[in-house]
Amino acid sequence: GAVVSQHPSWVICKSGTSVKIECRSLDFQATTMFWYRQFPKQSLMLMATSNEGSKATYEQGVEKDKFLINHASLTLSTLTVTSAHPEDSSFYICSAYLLAGVRYEQYFGPGTRLTVT
Amino acid sequence: AQSVTQPDIHITVSEGASLELRCNYSYGATPYLFWYVQSPGQGLQLLLKYFSGDTLVQGIKGFEAEFKRSQSSFNLRKPSVHWSDAAEYFCAVGGYQKVTFGIGTKLQVIP
């Protein structure tokens, strides 16, 4: 099946610094990727839809200037958390959208745990 | 707007017992429905999905789910639970692209 990777799997950074998380589709091209955030013991909340070659579409309440998304190629989307603060500590999961015929499926990455100290 | 309700936040079952996790959805058209499992600190693994056709869907690890349009439900079942099934289970509904997740059901398995 299709595989999506994320790097890094975990990261610790100091408050005020920026962190970049990569999401790659390893064996297929994904024109659309999604970024989710999961707080402890809660569900996944969609942050934004990342489209190759165009600006990301952010969900209501998500600060686009804080969570920068770049989808420069058909296999790579990046999420940069700028000027990170402890409240940004969370589990970030990406997914890549694959359309096969008339059906689609999202393939999820393993997630990145961000801790801001 | 699409939404998913998982009424049971936490369920405890004995190893070897049967399991049913409930999921109700709200969606304006024919839904795409999914069940995912997440182990602590891990990403999501797809257990099974329903797009169309047979309403009883077989998945991995011995799980199955039944789509009931009249009840807007997509309950997950397993006839005999193993200790390794302890995890968080998420039901999700989607259309063309956007997928909405339920809050999750945490499954605890006792010996």
Side-chain angles (χ1 to χ4, degrees):
Chain A
V3 178
V4 175
S5 70
Q6 278 185 246
H7 178 78
S9 55
W10 60 271
V11 58
I12 301 173
C13 71
K14 292 185 177 180
S15 186
T17 62
S18 295
V19 175
K20 180 184 285 188
I21 302 170
E22 293 184 349
C23 176
R24 293 181 184 273
S25 55
L26 297 184
D27 49 1
F28 65 101
Q29 294 182 330
T31 56
T32 302
M33 292 184 173
F34 302 91
W35 286 96
Y36 294 84
R37 182 174 181 177
Q38 185 180 33
F39 290 102
K41 301 182 180 180
Q42 293 190 30
S43 187
L44 282 77
M45 300 300 295
L46 179 65
M47 297 175 66
T49 302
S50 171
N51 296 296
E52 187 268 337
S54 64
K55 291 183 178 180
T57 302
Y58 291 82
E59 295 298 302
Q60 191 173 8
V62 178
E63 299 176 62
K64 60 182 180 181
D65 294 331
K66 180 168 187 61
F67 299 99
L68 301 179
I69 291 173
N70 183 277
H71 195 155
S73 78
L74 289 172
T75 60
L76 174 64
S77 175
T78 60
L79 168 68
T80 301
V81 182
T82 63
S83 187
H85 287 93
E87 57 264 31
D88 299 323
S89 299
S90 191
F91 195 53
Y92 293 87
I93 300 178
C94 74
S95 70
Y97 170 100
L98 178 61
L99 181 64
V102 296
R103 294 183 175 182
Y104 86 96
E105 190 165 329
Q106 283 194 38
Y107 294 90
F108 286 85
T112 296
R113 184 162 300 283
L114 170 63
T115 301
V116 184
T117 61
Chain B
Q2 60 196 51
S3 66
V4 177
T5 301
Q6 293 182 249
D8 305 307
I9 295 175
H10 190 198
I11 283 184
T12 300
V13 299
S14 298
E15 190 169 13
S18 63
L19 171 70
E20 181 170 33
L21 302 182
R22 296 184 290 166
C23 172
N24 291 96
Y25 69 90
S26 174
Y27 192 74
T30 300
Y32 291 168
L33 294 160
F34 310 86
W35 274 101
Y36 290 90
V37 60
Q38 184 182 36
S39 297
Q42 302 296 312
L44 296 175
Q45 181 180 24
L46 179 67
L47 285 176
L48 47 79
K49 59 185 182 286
Y50 171 80
F51 287 155
S52 64
D54 194 348
T55 57
L56 184 62
V57 180
Q58 301 297 320
I60 62 172
K61 302 184 179 184
F63 286 93
E64 67 177 27
E66 186 171 12
F67 170 58
K68 293 185 177 180
R69 184 187 299 275
S70 62
Q71 298 177 18
S72 297
S73 69
F74 189 57
N75 294 348
L76 181 71
R77 299 193 294 252
K78 186 170 185 178
S80 178
V81 171
H82 188 263
W83 64 266
S84 60
D85 293 324
E88 188 105 27
Y89 292 80
F90 293 95
C91 181
V93 64
Y96 182 63
Q97 286 196 1
K98 185 173 181 177
V99 175
T100 299
F101 287 84
I103 197 169
T105 298
K106 185 172 183 178
L107 174 65
Q108 182 180 8
V109 180
I110 57 177

